[in-house]
Amino acid sequence: MENFKIDVDADGIALVTFDVPGRSMNTLTSSVMKEIPELVERIKTDDAIKGAVITSGKASGFCAGADLGDMAGGVLSGGGDLQKAFDAGWKLNGAFRALETCGKPIAAAINGLALGGGLEFTLAAHYRVVENDNKIQLGLPEIKVGLFPGGGGTQRLTRLVGVQNAMMAMSEGKSFRPNDAKGAGIVHEVVEKGQSVEAAKAWIKGKVESGGKAVQPWDEKSFKLPGGGPYHPAGIQNFMVGNAMLRKQSYGNYPAVVNLMKAVYEGTQVPMDAALRIETRYFIKTLMTPQAQAMIRSLFLSKQELDKGAVRPAGVPKSDPKKVTVIGAGMMGAGIAYVQALAGIETILIDQTQEAADKGKAHVEELLKKRLSRGQLTQEKYDALLGSVTATTDYDLIKGSDLVIEAVFENREIKADVTRRAEAQLAEGAVFGSNTSTLPITGLAEASVRPEDFIGIHFFSPVDKMMLVEIILGEKTGQAAIAKALDYVLKIKKTPIVVNDSRGFYTSRCFSTFLMEGMAMLEEGYGPALIDNVGRMTGMPRGPLEMHDDVALDLSYKIAKQTALDLGDKYVPSEGADIVAKMVEGGRFGRKNGKGFYDYDTKPKTIWKGLSELAPTTKGIDQPEEPTAFAQIDELKTRLLYRQAVEVARCWEEGVIDDPREADLGAILGWGFAPWTGGPISFIDGIGLAKFVETADRLAATYGDRFKVPQLLRDMAAKGETFYGKFSPQKAAA
């Protein structure tokens, strides 16, 4: 076999080493799934084999799950034929079932992360041993790409840990560290690094309690579902409450969540063979939904491509930044310093005063201590990483830096001064990056004596958690600077998108429309609670007023003032600008000082009572029993989503962005655009250009020109085109 190596020892125990050639991480490729039945047949029929231990030959992990590109392609290749789709989906599930019923004891020696189908592989073993390494994660995260476990996970995990715990783990895509996995009942034993194979063999030899038993608990007549099933007095509560909780989490936007619950509900009432067939049917049904296909494309396939540097300029030698200076040691600058330190980059952290610089380094120290406390760093590694960050006021220490990132206030004069001072210390070919979120890069580059090496590198807050970095090109930015910026972003393990210059660029510009439409609704007389609840119902992570508080009202106020200065007579105030100005002038800056649209000195937060004076509530929604209530809510949801999508289309027509992968993934990772859509471009394509334009025209006629679509969309609609069909990278390359 190509992907599995089998060595049988003197005791008749087969060590099965899972090692996909040419890959740094094992995945369940089509080749692997083809070989698993062959592997099972060999174990089952070879009389020399008394039992088997399955482990990984990769240093990076056991198995990261299914190759979704392969899997989706195989299942969907039947052209809509449900029987063909089921047969394709059943291959893996059937193979795992054959493994656990082969009549010989199977143990999994988990020596690295096991996620999704990787964990499901181990769940089909009779015994699971994992090594005590906090870098190892065990979990079923399929829900994050619009799916749910389809390799037996919904049935085996539920029978191991009970309905409530399994549903919480699967619906949240939760990952467990080794000891937590043992505590939850997912694995049987945690051993020291390098000892998993020996411990697994010891179990097969009977040296561990119940050792060598080749029957799963759920295949024994005495088995009872932990916590009870749907008709158990306690178990029924899990489904009654679970329905409400899942609805609260998903707002009905994710078919995977509903189908997951159905698979568990129905599967727990029947024997395992029937349960697995039920799971496969619901899995196939989910995979065929537009939501799942859009999420797989954006959050898995596109992300993989961008994380590998798909948009990097060709022909530019690869660079490896060793020393990077960050100017501005606030929360943003300190966050950048932290991710650089983790990536092994020597970091100079500069601020105006030593006290401010030290405060920034203290934030780095705080984040590193969290990793130390979780066992993710040794004390030696912690000391080295913290020691790689130098807090200072001395610009002379910039010398030798491959890159400088300024993260100072959104003020053109301050940024210009920092640019001149930093560039005086930089060697030829070193890159200067501005972390501005709104100010055009071409304008900022006017302060540079080397505009070809000047670029925008826009991080998102909090830097340690947000995975996107937006790289912005000025008019004179050179190919070498683009390549070096991308090499840097990939080294710190972030996902890059590259966009052209514009006020607000791509992410800030489009995200602001979500906030502004919320402000428009507030001005129209809708209540703040209604606005934010509807915002969450669209699939956005928070409502527009909540998110406005999160990004800071005083930041919006400062950006508006700078924009007014830059544009002069052409400046048009955004919706709700007067309300925001009055709030900021009254000391309400948002969540950061506990006072914004909400008051944060209580838990839960409460709407600021003074808001009713600035924006009286005069409109509402009909009572739920009225048919018009649903239409009214749908209209508000449509406004919030279309407002953002129209702005994305305008960015496209203006040339700010030109790759559907970057547009979609940048929107989801950058400002939380409803993930169930696959991103704004997938949202437009999914609706269909003609229908999208028709609805946008109605919104424009009702609410104003902010919903007016660019001519590009009208032209595409007339020709029956889609963005992914017309502008896909593969099409462009051809």
Side-chain angles (χ1 to χ4, degrees), residues 98-303:
L99 180 67
E100 69 181 3
T101 58
C102 72
K104 296 178 181 179
I106 309 296
I110 307 170
N111 54 349
L113 67 82
L115 298 174
L119 180 61
E120 289 176 300
F121 197 170
T122 72
L123 292 177
H126 305 107
Y127 195 75
R128 287 169 294 284
V129 182
V130 63
E131 298 185 1
N132 190 14
D133 181 350
N134 268 330
K135 292 181 180 178
I136 292 177
Q137 298 181 59
L138 308 172
L140 299 171
E142 290 90 341
I143 204 76
K144 295 178 180 179
V145 289
L147 296 173
F148 65 84
T154 67
Q155 305 308 313
R156 293 190 180 91
L157 186 64
T158 302
R159 285 162 171 77
L160 281 173
V161 304
V163 172
Q164 181 178 356
N165 291 334
M167 282 300 302
M168 287 179 65
M170 291 185 290
S171 66
E172 296 172 5
K174 182 179 179 181
S175 292
F176 296 82
R177 301 295 177 186
N179 285 307
D180 294 331
K182 184 177 186 298
I186 298 171
V187 300
H188 299 87
E189 190 177 356
V190 178
V191 298
E192 292 308 307
K193 292 172 70 172
Q195 301 297 311
S196 58
V197 170
E198 201 59 40
K201 286 186 174 183
W203 174 81
I204 291 176
K205 294 174 186 177
K207 295 181 179 180
V208 179
E209 186 180 350
S210 76
K213 192 172 185 179
V215 180
Q216 293 281 31
W218 42 84
D219 287 325
E220 297 188 289
K221 290 183 179 179
S222 60
F223 176 73
K224 290 184 179 180
L225 184 68
Y231 295 104
H232 186 280
I236 186 61
Q237 298 298 320
N238 292 319
F239 294 99
M240 293 173 63
V241 175
N243 271 321
M245 290 182 65
L246 292 181
R247 178 73 188 185
K248 180 182 178 183
Q249 287 177 7
S250 69
Y251 292 98
N253 292 320
Y254 297 88
V257 174
V258 177
N259 290 336
L260 166 63
M261 176 69 91
K262 288 179 178 179
V264 171
Y265 177 79
E266 296 175 24
T268 52
Q269 300 180 57
V270 296
M272 179 59 83
D273 290 296
L276 293 173
R277 290 194 295 271
I278 288 170
E279 178 193 82
T280 298
R281 283 196 288 270
Y282 278 117
F283 179 80
I284 296 304
K285 182 178 180 180
T286 303
L287 183 59
M288 288 182 162
T289 62
Q291 292 93 330
Q293 292 179 42
M295 291 179 74
I296 289 170
R297 179 172 63 190
S298 293
L299 294 170
F300 183 77
L301 300 176
S302 293
K303 188 174 186 301

Side-chain angles (χ1 to χ4, degrees), residues 563-596:
T563 304
L565 285 172
D566 289 349
L567 299 184
D569 294 340
K570 295 180 180 179
Y571 173 67
V572 178
S574 62
E575 295 85 356
D578 288 345
I579 295 174
V580 171
K582 289 175 182 176
M583 292 175 69
V584 171
E585 289 162 4
R588 305 193 70 84
F589 301 156
R591 182 183 286 272
K592 68 180 184 180
N593 78 331
K595 296 184 289 185

Side-chain angles (χ1 to χ4, degrees), residues 337-414:
Y338 167 72
V339 296
Q340 288 181 183
L342 276 184
I345 298 173
E346 179 188 352
T347 298
I348 306 299
L349 184 59
I350 295 178
D351 213 305
Q352 289 180 299
T353 67
Q354 189 62 46
E355 181 183 8
D358 289 340
K359 185 177 179 181
K361 183 170 180 177
H363 182 62
V364 176
E365 183 177 10
E366 179 186 347
L367 293 172
L368 288 173
K369 278 183 177 176
K370 286 182 181 179
R371 296 183 72 88
L372 180 66
S373 67
R374 295 170 184 157
Q376 295 169 291
L377 291 177
T378 63
Q379 183 65 49
E380 182 182 9
K381 184 68 172 176
Y382 165 85
D383 292 338
L385 294 180
L386 186 60
S388 70
V389 179
T390 301
T392 183
T393 61
D394 188 356
Y395 275 66
D396 284 345
L397 295 185
I398 293 175
K399 288 186 175 71
S401 293
D402 302 295
L403 172 68
V404 168
I405 297 176
E406 65 84 356
V408 301
F409 294 116
E410 288 289 280
N411 179 282
R412 192 178 299 281
E413 287 71 30
I414 295 175

Side-chain angles (χ1 to χ4, degrees), residues 255-572:
V257 174
V258 177
N259 290 336
L260 166 63
M261 176 69 91
K262 288 179 178 179
V264 171
Y265 177 79
E266 296 175 24
T268 52
Q269 300 180 57
V270 296
M272 179 59 83
D273 290 296
L276 293 173
R277 290 194 295 271
I278 288 170
E279 178 193 82
T280 298
R281 283 196 288 270
Y282 278 117
F283 179 80
I284 296 304
K285 182 178 180 180
T286 303
L287 183 59
M288 288 182 162
T289 62
Q291 292 93 330
Q293 292 179 42
M295 291 179 74
I296 289 170
R297 179 172 63 190
S298 293
L299 294 170
F300 183 77
L301 300 176
S302 293
K303 188 174 186 301
Q304 276 195 334
E305 291 166 7
L306 295 176
D307 285 348
K308 292 176 182 176
V311 295
R312 190 182 186 277
V316 179
K318 187 168 177 56
S319 62
D320 182 17
K322 303 288 189 185
K323 178 180 178 181
V324 176
T325 294
V326 180
I327 304 176
M331 290 295 286
M332 179 66 79
I336 297 169
Y338 167 72
V339 296
Q340 288 181 183
L342 276 184
I345 298 173
E346 179 188 352
T347 298
I348 306 299
L349 184 59
I350 295 178
D351 213 305
Q352 289 180 299
T353 67
Q354 189 62 46
E355 181 183 8
D358 289 340
K359 185 177 179 181
K361 183 170 180 177
H363 182 62
V364 176
E365 183 177 10
E366 179 186 347
L367 293 172
L368 288 173
K369 278 183 177 176
K370 286 182 181 179
R371 296 183 72 88
L372 180 66
S373 67
R374 295 170 184 157
Q376 295 169 291
L377 291 177
T378 63
Q379 183 65 49
E380 182 182 9
K381 184 68 172 176
Y382 165 85
D383 292 338
L385 294 180
L386 186 60
S388 70
V389 179
T390 301
T392 183
T393 61
D394 188 356
Y395 275 66
D396 284 345
L397 295 185
I398 293 175
K399 288 186 175 71
S401 293
D402 302 295
L403 172 68
V404 168
I405 297 176
E406 65 84 356
V408 301
F409 294 116
E410 288 289 280
N411 179 282
R412 192 178 299 281
E413 287 71 30
I414 295 175
K415 289 181 181 291
D417 178 61
V418 165
T419 300
R420 287 188 286 267
R421 294 179 65 188
E423 285 189 342
Q425 307 297 330
L426 286 176
E428 185 178 350
V431 174
F432 186 95
S434 174
N435 181 55
T436 179
S437 58
T438 58
L439 299 177
I441 293 299
T442 300
L444 294 179
E446 291 173 1
S448 172
V449 295
R450 39 202 285 177
E452 69 280 1
D453 290 325
F454 193 102
I455 198 167
I457 303 179
H458 177 207
F459 285 84
F460 297 79
S461 185
V463 178
D464 58 302
K465 294 179 180 177
M466 298 294 281
M467 296 309 299
L468 186 75
V469 176
E470 183 180 32
I471 294 174
I472 308 107
L473 312 184
E475 287 181 5
K476 297 181 180 179
T477 302
Q479 294 294 295
I482 300 170
K484 289 174 182 177
L486 283 166
D487 292 341
Y488 163 74
V489 173
L490 296 179
K491 183 166 183 175
I492 60 174
K493 294 182 170 57
K494 300 290 185 184
T495 298
I497 62 170
V498 179
V499 305
N500 289 309
D501 204 8
S502 166
R503 184 169 296 277
F505 319 124
Y506 173 61
T507 55
S508 297
R509 172 177 166 178
C510 296
F511 167 60
S512 68
T513 62
F514 178 63
L515 307 186
M516 288 189 286
E517 195 59 28
M519 294 303 298
M521 293 174 181
L522 191 66
E523 286 184 321
E524 290 168 25
Y526 287 102
L530 172 64
I531 294 167
D532 277 347
N533 284 335
V534 169
R536 288 174 178 262
M537 290 170 71
T538 66
M540 296 291 288
R542 301 166 77 76
L545 305 183
E546 295 174 295
M547 291 184 83
H548 212 152
D549 271 357
D550 288 348
V551 300
L553 301 181
D554 62 324
L555 177 61
S556 293
Y557 179 67
K558 289 172 185 175
I559 290 172
K561 289 185 73 174
Q562 183 66 60
T563 304
L565 285 172
D566 289 349
L567 299 184
D569 294 340
K570 295 180 180 179
Y571 173 67
V572 178

